[in-house]
Amino acid sequence: SVGASEPDKPSTPQQPVTTQEAVETTDSNATHNDNEVGAQVKEEPTALSDQSDSSNNKRQPADGSSSTDDIAIMLDTVDGLFSNATLELELAQLPARLSEAKDKESASQIRDLEAAIKLRMSIIAAQVGAGVLSIQDYMDSVSAELTQAKEWALTANRSGRKDLALRTLKRVKAMQGELSDMKAAMDAESE
């Protein structure tokens, strides 16, 4: 499985790896296998137990405001995303966005976003698989992400940006379903 650690190997503490650093590492050395990636990937530098403070600061402009331009930018930033359902949703929407790209630069940015989403999905899977990110911490992170998405949807709607509000509400629905499914699975497991 992705990120499975070997029980007889002592783990050595490593610095946290962000998605950007992982991209740079992957680009410079494409020979890593899944086990090596799982051993190297650590939590994002935010404290998951204090998700409301650190995640919101990471996913909002420095001044704390959320203009629709900022929201549009944040919707295409994957570093703060934890929800696999959101990542899958965004990945599924990319082919349509690619066909609507007006120039080569826009198309290139969309292809880069696709690679970043796939990498982020691998990082989250490796973190959970290696036990670096517990299921409860994952669910807490998705809950914080859900709260942020609701705020963005309201802001976008109030500003008349129905396109951003709709895109954000799709994320909200995906995260709500993901959390509901995970809670149901945990309840069934505990019975």
Side-chain angles (χ1 to χ4, degrees), residues 28-29 61 66 89 108 128 143 149:
S28 66
N29 185 4
S66 288
L89 174 69
S108 176
V128 171
S143 293

PDB file of all heavy atoms in Angstrom, residues 28-29 61 66 89 108 128 143 149:
ATOM      1  N   SER A  28      13.276  16.780  -9.555  1.00  0.00           N
ATOM      2  CA  SER A  28      14.721  16.598  -9.570  1.00  0.00           C
ATOM      3  C   SER A  28      15.134  15.134  -9.481  1.00  0.00           C
ATOM      4  O   SER A  28      16.230  14.772  -9.869  1.00  0.00           O
ATOM      5  CB  SER A  28      15.368  17.388  -8.420  1.00  0.00           C
ATOM      6  OG  SER A  28      14.974  16.832  -7.186  1.00  0.00           O
ATOM      7  N   ASN A  29      14.265  14.285  -8.961  1.00  0.00           N
ATOM      8  CA  ASN A  29      14.618  12.877  -8.822  1.00  0.00           C
ATOM      9  C   ASN A  29      13.369  12.040  -9.034  1.00  0.00           C
ATOM     10  O   ASN A  29      12.666  11.721  -8.102  1.00  0.00           O
ATOM     11  CB  ASN A  29      15.227  12.618  -7.439  1.00  0.00           C
ATOM     12  CG  ASN A  29      15.717  11.194  -7.303  1.00  0.00           C
ATOM     13  OD1 ASN A  29      15.664  10.424  -8.256  1.00  0.00           O
ATOM     14  ND2 ASN A  29      16.188  10.836  -6.126  1.00  0.00           N
ATOM     15  N   PRO A  61      -6.109  35.616   2.388  1.00  0.00           N
ATOM     16  CA  PRO A  61      -5.132  36.679   2.187  1.00  0.00           C
ATOM     17  C   PRO A  61      -4.600  37.165   3.529  1.00  0.00           C
ATOM     18  O   PRO A  61      -5.251  37.013   4.558  1.00  0.00           O
ATOM     19  CB  PRO A  61      -5.934  37.783   1.488  1.00  0.00           C
ATOM     20  CG  PRO A  61      -7.168  37.129   0.978  1.00  0.00           C
ATOM     21  CD  PRO A  61      -7.415  35.935   1.825  1.00  0.00           C
ATOM     22  N   SER A  66     -11.511  38.412   2.138  1.00  0.00           N
ATOM     23  CA  SER A  66     -11.650  37.444   1.051  1.00  0.00           C
ATOM     24  C   SER A  66     -12.404  38.095  -0.090  1.00  0.00           C
ATOM     25  O   SER A  66     -13.623  38.036  -0.153  1.00  0.00           O
ATOM     26  CB  SER A  66     -12.402  36.199   1.522  1.00  0.00           C
ATOM     27  OG  SER A  66     -11.613  35.427   2.367  1.00  0.00           O
ATOM     28  N   LEU A  89     -13.105  16.070  -7.236  1.00  0.00           N
ATOM     29  CA  LEU A  89     -14.031  16.959  -7.922  1.00  0.00           C
ATOM     30  C   LEU A  89     -13.280  17.933  -8.827  1.00  0.00           C
ATOM     31  O   LEU A  89     -13.627  18.106  -9.993  1.00  0.00           O
ATOM     32  CB  LEU A  89     -14.866  17.741  -6.896  1.00  0.00           C
ATOM     33  CG  LEU A  89     -15.792  18.825  -7.444  1.00  0.00           C
ATOM     34  CD1 LEU A  89     -16.949  18.204  -8.229  1.00  0.00           C
ATOM     35  CD2 LEU A  89     -16.319  19.686  -6.314  1.00  0.00           C
ATOM     36  N   SER A 108      -1.514  25.521 -20.088  1.00  0.00           N
ATOM     37  CA  SER A 108      -0.362  25.041 -19.332  1.00  0.00           C
ATOM     38  C   SER A 108      -0.614  25.142 -17.827  1.00  0.00           C
ATOM     39  O   SER A 108      -0.264  24.232 -17.070  1.00  0.00           O
ATOM     40  CB  SER A 108       0.885  25.837 -19.720  1.00  0.00           C
ATOM     41  OG  SER A 108       1.982  25.441 -18.936  1.00  0.00           O
ATOM     42  N   VAL A 128      -1.716   9.473   5.441  1.00  0.00           N
ATOM     43  CA  VAL A 128      -2.662   8.624   6.151  1.00  0.00           C
ATOM     44  C   VAL A 128      -2.119   7.199   6.229  1.00  0.00           C
ATOM     45  O   VAL A 128      -2.145   6.561   7.280  1.00  0.00           O
ATOM     46  CB  VAL A 128      -4.057   8.664   5.486  1.00  0.00           C
ATOM     47  CG1 VAL A 128      -4.983   7.627   6.091  1.00  0.00           C
ATOM     48  CG2 VAL A 128      -4.666  10.053   5.618  1.00  0.00           C
ATOM     49  N   SER A 143     -13.235  19.200   7.889  1.00  0.00           N
ATOM     50  CA  SER A 143     -14.274  20.034   8.515  1.00  0.00           C
ATOM     51  C   SER A 143     -13.894  21.510   8.462  1.00  0.00           C
ATOM     52  O   SER A 143     -14.734  22.370   8.163  1.00  0.00           O
ATOM     53  CB  SER A 143     -14.511  19.616   9.963  1.00  0.00           C
ATOM     54  OG  SER A 143     -15.084  18.345  10.024  1.00  0.00           O
ATOM     55  N   ALA A 149     -14.918  26.865   2.916  1.00  0.00           N
ATOM     56  CA  ALA A 149     -15.611  26.851   1.623  1.00  0.00           C
ATOM     57  C   ALA A 149     -16.990  27.495   1.728  1.00  0.00           C
ATOM     58  O   ALA A 149     -17.415  28.212   0.819  1.00  0.00           O
ATOM     59  CB  ALA A 149     -15.713  25.425   1.094  1.00  0.00           C
TER      60      ALA A 149
END
